[in-house]
Amino acid sequence: PPVHSHSRREALLVTNEPPTPTIDTAQNFEAAQQALGLGFASPVAGALVLANTLLGGSGMLGIPHALSVAGYGLGLVLIVCFGSFSAIGSHLLQCSARRIGGVPCSFYSVASATIPRWTWLVDGAVAVKCFGVGCSYLIIVGDLAPDSLRFFGAHGVRRWHTVTGAFLVAGALACMKNLNALRYTAVASILIVFWTCTLIALFFANVGDSFDPCAASVALAFAGNIAGQHLPCKGADFEPVAVPSLLKLGKVLPVFIFGFTCQQNVFTICNEVRRPTQNMDRIIFVAYVFAGFGFAITAFLGYATYGDMVKSDVLKGYPQDSVAVQLARFFFAVLATFSYPLQAHPSRASIMALWSLAAGPAHLQGPSAERRRFWLVTAVWAPLSLVVALTVTDLGIVLGVVGATGSTMVSYILPGLTYRKAFLQPSMKRTLAGLQLFSAA
């Protein structure tokens, strides 16, 4: 029998027959939004959340080192290229979602209509990738917060204290059922990013003894030791192209890819924002331009300050007895905490889709089944991420796996593949989708 009052995603699970993509009309998609009580978030909130997803992780801290391996000329070109490719991927995904027409749209609903045999792989990749990034945020808190808190007098603070405290806040935010509720934390996160960019610029400009980047400490700067050096500090190399080897360049490319990965939240914003046909491309453009400038400023100025000696975590290179630096470390720990829910939402949605694939749609098991699955997945996902963050102290282990596998699939392979399957007529955009696939290969 036909299914009437359920989403297209659930209909797919009942029939196991992928539908032919329908004509992309704003009226159909937006009417379906309103029927489900969605589509009321402002475009500003959508742009803030997407920019927070881009800037909220370790990309801003790690891209300066990646740029130092490539050189500032080649590095800035890579930032522009990877940012543009990722933005095109986000655009292709939201076009595919509206073309297919299911609300709420997700990686699963789009994959079911375009590559039905591989839906389990798509959701598995998104679930694992977002889980790994969520764990990395808690690890970042454990790396940055303890020293900062001890600097400000909170003696006796240990790593597990800060990780657990951040988890209590982030876990509560992750229990919210939509991302529009996180617009206020997104504003705070953007302000923290602005503070970090300003701090790096002040040290580059060397505006006073308190912002002397070449001093081993602020105390030595006031004493007149090492002050007045020309940048980069200690005569480090600062070159437009500084590739020591193709192998080393290849090792840092995933950092650029990881920094511009936000596709997992494109569907959620498309579901929740008002008039997505008019607003989604604007949201994507604003978020990527803001993030690109943030990455470029911190990377270029960090590299110009310390040359090829810039640390893998750029903040670790600055004088550690500086109040401004320790504030930045603490604020970035807060930023990572606020960004954790942005990974919990898409990962949980993918896990629930896999559950539906294995056990059948939740609506067939009673009205409370969907709610019960939501809380069960949350109750397992969140504590497991805490366990990983408490036991794994090397952020590189998590980022290496996530950046080289999940981020590549989410940013390049899936957008290009789903668009080419959803839009069969030859077009320039379909050619771009093919280039996305080629670049991933």
Side-chain angles (χ1 to χ4, degrees):
V3 179
H4 294 290
S5 60
H6 305 293
S7 70
R8 189 185 187 93
R9 181 186 65 178
E10 293 177 334
L12 289 170
L13 292 171
V14 174
T15 63
N16 288 322
E17 296 179 358
T20 301
T22 58
I23 297 175
D24 181 19
T25 60
Q27 293 81 1
N28 289 346
F29 189 88
E30 292 168 12
Q33 275 186 312
Q34 295 178 6
L36 292 177
L38 299 172
F40 296 102
S42 71
V44 173
L48 287 172
V49 169
L50 198 61
N52 188 183
T53 307
L54 288 164
L55 293 164
S58 58
M60 176 168 281
L61 301 181
I63 284 182
H65 173 72
L67 186 135
S68 74
V69 175
Y72 64 83
L74 178 58
L76 291 175
V77 169
L78 290 174
I79 289 176
V80 172
C81 289
F82 282 112
S84 298
F85 290 154
S86 180
I88 291 171
S90 295
H91 168 74
L92 296 177
L93 282 177
Q94 66 94 8
C95 288
S96 299
R98 291 188 293 106
R99 169 83 168 186
I100 291 164
V103 178
C105 59
S106 66
F107 264 119
Y108 183 81
S109 66
V110 172
S112 296
T114 55
I115 47 174
R117 294 182 180 181
W118 302 102
T119 52
W120 61 272
L121 181 61
V122 172
D123 271 309
V126 174
V128 172
K129 181 263 178 189
C130 294
F131 176 77
V133 178
C135 294
S136 75
Y137 289 159
L138 295 180
I139 294 173
I140 288 172
V141 173
D143 286 346
L144 299 179
D147 290 341
S148 178
L149 291 174
R150 285 194 287 267
F151 177 83
F152 290 110
H155 302 295
V157 173
R158 301 178 64 182
R159 181 181 184 275
W160 74 269
H161 294 154
T162 58
V163 172
T164 305
F167 168 77
L168 293 176
V169 176
L173 294 173
C175 292
M176 296 180 177
K177 293 189 176 183
N178 62 74
L179 293 181
N180 185 47
L182 301 177
R183 61 190 181 278
Y184 300 115
T185 62
V187 171
S189 298
I190 297 302
L191 292 176
I192 292 170
V193 168
F194 180 76
W195 164 261
T196 305
C197 291
T198 302
L199 175 70
I200 291 175
L202 289 173
F203 273 101
F204 171 76
N206 196 359
V207 296
D209 290 335
S210 296
F211 295 97
D212 181 3
C214 299
S217 68
V218 173
L220 287 177
F222 276 107
N225 295 329
I226 326 178
Q229 288 192 36
H230 295 292
L231 298 182
C233 295
K234 300 180 181 178
D237 292 333
F238 179 66
E239 303 290 343
V241 178
V243 180
S245 70
L246 291 179
L247 179 60
K248 289 186 177 180
L249 179 62
K251 287 182 178 179
V252 299
L253 288 183
V255 178
F256 293 102
I257 297 172
F258 181 84
F260 284 105
T261 301
C262 69
Q263 283 77 7
Q264 66 273 10
N265 282 327
V266 167
F267 294 112
T268 304
I269 295 171
C270 193
N271 289 329
E272 297 181 13
V273 76
R274 290 194 299 267
R275 296 185 296 277
T277 303
Q278 300 177 21
N279 293 321
M280 277 304 299
D281 282 340
R282 299 173 187 171
I283 289 171
I284 292 170
F285 177 81
V286 170
Y288 273 90
V289 168
F290 187 86
F293 273 110
F295 288 146
I297 290 171
T298 56
F300 179 82
L301 296 184
Y303 179 39
T305 303
Y306 291 107
D308 60 350
M309 298 175 64
V310 66
K311 303 290 186 180
S312 58
D313 176 348
V314 67
L315 291 178
K316 288 184 178 180
Y318 293 89
Q320 294 303 297
D321 64 344
S322 166
V323 174
V325 170
Q326 292 299 339
L327 276 175
R329 291 169 66 88
F330 176 76
F331 286 155
F332 222 91
V334 174
L335 171 61
T337 301
F338 286 162
S339 301
Y340 175 93
L342 301 179
Q343 303 299 326
H345 278 261
S347 183
R348 177 173 52 210
S350 292
I351 294 171
M352 291 176 66
L354 289 172
W355 192 343
S356 295
L357 187 64
H363 75 268
L364 298 179
Q365 302 178 16
S368 62
E370 188 78 16
R371 188 183 311 111
R372 184 166 58 251
R373 289 185 181 185
F374 176 92
W375 289 111
L376 283 174
V377 172
T378 304
V380 174
W381 193 97
L384 186 59
S385 69
L386 174 63
V387 171
V388 172
L390 290 173
T391 55
V392 178
T393 58
D394 186 355
L395 182 63
I397 294 176
V398 177
L399 296 185
V401 175
V402 172
T405 55
S407 293
T408 302
M409 177 172 285
V410 170
S411 298
Y412 298 100
I413 297 176
L414 295 180
L417 183 59
T418 55
Y419 188 90
R420 288 183 65 85
K421 291 290 186 178
F423 294 84
L424 301 179
Q425 295 296 323
S427 65
M428 179 62 69
K429 201 179 295 185
R430 195 168 188 271
T431 302
L432 282 175
L435 290 176
Q436 289 278 82
L437 289 172
F438 179 79
S439 63

